[in-house]
Amino acid sequence: MSGDGSKGSSEDGGWRERGGATLDRLVDASAAERVAISLGSLVFALVVGAVLVFVSGFVAECSSPFIYLPGLGYGCYNPLEMYWTILDGAFGSFTDLGQTLLQTTLLLFTGLSVAVAFRAGLFNIGTQGQMVLGALATAMTVLTVGEFVPDTLLGSLVVIPVGIVVGGFVGGVWGMIPGLMKAYANAHEVITTIMLNFVAAGVAYWLVQVHIGDLASDSVQTEPIPGVARLPASIDGSRFSLIALVGALAIAIGIALLYSRTVIGYDLRTSGIQEAAAEYGGVDARRNVVTSMTLSGVLGGIAGAIYVTMVQYRWQAGIPPLGFDGIAVSILAGNNPIGVIPAALLFGTLKTGSVAVDISLGIPNELVEVLRGLIILFIAMPEFFRLLGKHYGFGSEPVATDGGERR
């Protein structure tokens, strides 16, 4: 018994040592190594997704199967054709490219909103609610201001920035609420932001349906915004605007510089990750928690403003869950503002390409959603364990010395 017990104990110790060594290696991984891990995980996810789609084809019904295997029967889904259709549906024409870039732009804003909170050690699940209210505020603002400006380029230069600023302001105020509750009442931001999503959707729906909406319409929506308040389309057949994409890229770079090159960014990171250490260093941790959540809300509100001025041209109930998609984008990017750019492009490609897959191949959209989930899972897991290891002190550098960031 003692021999078996010693052997079991030795094996347990070996597993713990190997697990600890793995966490040390993950925490100390360089930026290039993390990129390589993400790319490898992406390839693995695509392979697993291909196998899943291939197997699913044997239980589906179709008029023209592409393969027959003895013992299994006819297979309906060709994984290589599916991946090609996704790429062709996302980039096969200028219109498709415009739709992909449109989705990418919106996901950039929502992904950055979530990433800003994550970088400060906070979980903002409420980007969707901040986006909904920001979109409504923008729609009502441009409808009002649009009546007093000329229908010219000069008018657009006035009404569009005003609408975006108001949308960002309202989103920021909505994001500040859970920040205040976190900082001064110790209310967990995950719970409060989730609940505020429902509050935001309910308030916006009630306001539009009863007071400020287009009462002549059967739908719950505002009147269409004037042409002077619409971002100019850059590609025919799509409402994508290059101005919005360039603005999103500039904000991503600005946030990266804010968090990596400024004292303010250092304070924001340390306040959310190690409040006690921040307070010891003379930083007002509570104030910075509120600031981080407010900044996150501002970006969510701007996402809503862009949605109104570039996509929908009005506020309408049933805004797509881009705020929740932003959570996946941020996780995929490792909460890095620059990493959000390729992550948003990947998700924009999948969102646009999945439509072509459903129409051209008859593969259920749910399977494409599963593929997207696999990509998130495979790429997020190494980052999850890296953050877990960093939290419990693995790696060669102490966390507090650089505000929770390792180079």
Side-chain angles (χ1 to χ4, degrees), residues 105-119 122-136 167-179 189-201 204 255 292-307 315 319-331 335 340:
T105 302
L106 294 171
L107 290 168
L108 259 171
F109 281 110
T110 57
L112 287 172
S113 170
V114 178
V116 162
F118 272 140
R119 294 280 286 185
L122 301 166
F123 297 92
N124 180 16
I125 317 296
T127 295
Q128 182 69 20
Q130 293 144 17
M131 179 182 173
V132 167
L133 290 183
L136 179 58
F169 174 78
V170 171
V173 170
W174 202 249
M176 182 174 61
I177 295 173
E189 73 277 10
V190 171
I191 304 300
T192 54
T193 51
I194 288 176
M195 299 307 294
L196 284 172
N197 280 335
F198 294 105
V199 175
I255 291 174
S292 294
M293 290 299 288
T294 303
L295 179 58
S296 179
V298 167
L299 291 168
I302 292 177
I306 298 299
Y307 181 76
W315 189 95
I319 290 179
L322 294 162
F324 298 113
D325 290 338
I327 298 173
V329 169
S330 179
I331 292 174
N335 307 322
V340 166

Side-chain angles (χ1 to χ4, degrees), residues 12 63 83 193 254:
D12 291 343
S63 58
Y83 284 133
T193 51

Side-chain angles (χ1 to χ4, degrees), residues 239-262:
R239 294 182 176 180
F240 163 70
S241 175
L242 186 61
I243 297 173
L245 178 59
V246 171
L249 294 174
I251 290 175
I253 295 171
I255 291 174
L257 294 176
L258 172 71
Y259 277 87
S260 62
R261 303 293 183 187
T262 67

